[in-house]
Amino acid sequence: MSTPQRLPAYRQVANEIIERIKSGELQPGDAIPSAREIVEEKGISSATAARVLSTLRDEGWADTSPGRRTLVRQREVMTQGASRIGMVRSGGSGLLDGESVEFVEAHAEPASQEVADALGIQAGEDVVLRRRRYVDAAGVSVVSTTWVTAVLAAELPAFTAPEKLPKMTMGYIEDQTGRRATQQRETHSVDSVPEDIAWHLDTEAGERVLKVTNRYVDQDGEPTEYAVDWHAPRRSWVDERPVG
């Protein structure tokens, strides 16, 4: 049996500070020990201490303030459709603390090939889209667009209304039609932000960001909705779960 290799000194110290951040001992905006303080406490070289701080910055745990102190960064977390569904089904609103959702637009349009394939219809058939954006303390986090067929939209009078849907699209479809989402296909890719999304995402068209698509299927195996989420740049993907 091989013996686990000891982590480099900079990695050990960086991990200790990360655990302090995760536990809440160090909060966003708090000062992280300086390189000099790390040298004095850990007995490592100044070059190694500097590497600790650069590692924390590179991995998104810290920023350097105008006064040159290293501060715990406000974590800018991405929340996916699957996470929001879990919130709704557990009785929540589908929003994180401090997060709000803004209606952008809703209208009918001919289905693109991508949307048609996801909804099981022919390209060019009428579909209805609903677009909104999620905003938190750090700004716009995601622009989300959902498409449903024109036939289904006729059963969803609030789908095109500017008010927030009480249980998101998935819950609204279930309440209105009895069609419960039982299967989800989520695809992650990095793509260039299109012009019609860039302005709402507060970024430049063509910037490469995370794109997440979600296709939902009901209890009869029929597609109910297709959604595309464009995530803002410089967001952190956080997925924490038990192992084993």
Side-chain angles (χ1 to χ4, degrees), residues 66-214:
R68 306 307 298 171
R69 287 307 304 263
T70 301
L71 307 179
V72 177
R73 176 182 292 179
Q74 177 70 46
R75 299 294 283 171
E76 300 169 1
V77 179
M78 298 175 176
T79 303
Q80 300 307 310
S83 303
R84 296 189 190 279
I85 288 173
M87 294 177 193
V88 170
R89 285 192 167 160
S90 63
S93 67
L95 299 174
L96 297 171
D97 290 341
E99 187 181 43
S100 61
V101 59
E102 300 175 351
F103 175 85
V104 174
E105 61 179 318
H107 60 258
E109 67 179 17
S112 67
Q113 190 65 61
E114 176 185 352
V115 172
D117 289 345
L119 294 179
I121 60 176
Q122 295 294 316
E125 286 190 38
D126 285 344
V127 291
V128 179
L129 72 81
R130 178 182 176 88
R131 181 167 292 151
R132 58 269 181 220
R133 67 180 194 169
Y134 293 87
V135 181
D136 58 22
V140 179
S141 61
V142 61
V143 174
S144 182
T145 308
T146 301
W147 289 265
V148 298
T149 64
V151 173
L152 179 56
E155 301 181 62
L156 308 173
F159 186 72
T160 55
E163 291 78 18
K164 177 182 178 292
L165 297 177
K167 295 184 182 179
M168 301 176 55
T169 309
M170 177 272 304
Y172 180 51
I173 291 173
E174 184 175 335
D175 286 348
Q176 290 292 113
T177 68
R179 297 178 62 183
R180 179 180 176 85
T182 59
Q183 185 176 347
Q184 174 192 18
R185 184 182 67 201
E186 183 175 279
T187 303
H188 299 204
S189 61
V190 175
D191 208 339
S192 300
V193 180
E195 283 192 26
D196 63 333
I197 297 296
W199 187 85
H200 300 296
L201 198 58
D202 290 344
T203 191
E204 297 292 329
E207 181 157 6
R208 304 282 287 178
V209 301
L210 180 68
K211 174 186 178 183
V212 180
T213 67
N214 281 283

Side-chain angles (χ1 to χ4, degrees), residues 34 53 57 63-71:
S34 67
L53 298 180
R57 289 191 293 268
D63 288 311
T64 301
S65 71
R68 306 307 298 171
R69 287 307 304 263
T70 301
L71 307 179

